[in-house]
Amino acid sequence: AAIAGARKAVEIAQQIVRSAPNGHEERYLLARAYLALALSRTPDELQLAQEARRILERLLEERPDQARLRRALGVVEHRVGSYYVSVPQDYRSALPHLRRALDLFEAAARDDPADGRMQMEISMQCYLIAICLRDLRDLRDLPATETHARRAVEIRRRLHTADPQNMRVRDGLAAAHRLLGDVQADLNQPDNA
């Protein structure tokens, strides 16, 4: 039912854009509708995310100062990167999307450094980039992998200190510690691991 509702939202947003093809808010609405449907993990999620990205990139060219566009595009790039990490486990294809998402979320965080959601998004990109780098044997850069894993731990530790009851942060912190330990074991640092 949720997916059917999200598809209906896309149809309605497409109609709105047809009536105002140059409208900024109308196209932003359509991009958000595509993104919402892509986040529903439908079989066409990659194509939906790519369509949202196409629209958001054009909007960002028109209005590069809009933080909400950077955040939305960061979510799209994260979704595409996560798709490649989880579905085909194509880490090489995932990396550019995750790196771009990291750049976009860092830019958004500069607009509001206290935004815990942006900090969590940054830590998620660092975590996933570290996973990709660690698993790409031919591109293995363990110092960079450790840097990303450590940054994920540090951000999640700060977020956990600020909100110790947040189970998402607590679970994420545990996962980041495990990844950092695995990377340190790869670096032959058993005591740190």
Side-chain angles (χ1 to χ4, degrees):
I3 291 171
R7 287 201 187 279
K8 184 67 177 170
V10 167
E11 290 173 20
I12 293 168
Q14 288 170 332
Q15 291 171 1
I16 291 170
V17 168
R18 278 195 292 275
S19 68
N22 295 319
H24 183 85
E25 290 302 316
E26 291 82 356
R27 290 179 291 152
Y28 178 70
L29 176 69
L30 179 58
R32 294 297 304 218
Y34 278 129
L35 177 56
L37 188 52
L39 292 172
S40 300
R41 299 184 187 270
T42 62
D44 55 347
E45 71 179 284
L46 184 59
Q47 295 82 5
L48 293 163
Q50 289 169 334
E51 188 60 30
R53 181 177 60 212
R54 184 186 63 78
I55 295 168
L56 288 167
E57 284 175 341
R58 189 168 302 134
L59 293 173
L60 198 54
E61 286 173 12
E62 295 169 11
R63 297 187 184 170
D65 59 324
Q66 283 203 351
R68 72 178 182 161
L69 295 175
R70 286 193 297 276
R71 284 191 301 271
L73 188 54
V75 172
V76 169
E77 292 292 358
H78 169 76
R79 182 68 237 132
V80 174
S82 296
Y83 171 84
Y84 283 120
V85 167
S86 63
V87 178
Q89 292 187 325
D90 181 354
Y91 301 117
R92 190 179 314 276
S93 294
L95 269 173
H97 298 286
L98 297 171
R99 286 179 170 143
R100 185 162 186 222
L102 178 59
D103 291 343
L104 289 160
F105 288 135
E106 285 175 333
R110 283 191 292 275
D111 296 332
D112 185 4
D115 185 346
R117 291 176 304 138
M118 281 303 102
Q119 294 302 314
M120 192 62 180
E121 292 294 353
I122 290 168
S123 77
M124 180 57 74
Q125 304 328 298
C126 290
Y127 177 82
L128 291 173
I129 289 168
I131 286 174
C132 291
L133 289 173
R134 183 169 184 257
D135 286 351
L136 283 171
R137 303 287 183 223
D138 57 331
L139 292 179
R140 187 173 249 191
D141 182 351
L142 288 175
T145 306
E146 183 184 25
T147 297
H148 285 292
R150 184 178 303 284
R151 188 170 179 210
V153 167
E154 290 167 357
I155 292 169
R156 291 173 184 191
R157 185 178 292 138
R158 282 194 312 268
L159 292 171
H160 176 66
T161 299
D163 184 4
Q165 301 306 314
N166 186 323
M167 293 305 292
R168 179 177 179 230
V169 171
R170 185 185 301 180
D171 290 348
L173 178 58
H177 271 295
R178 179 178 176 172
L179 176 60
L180 179 58
D182 290 343
V183 172
Q184 288 171 330
D186 293 344
L187 284 163
N188 199 24
Q189 300 172 1
D191 292 340
N192 291 338

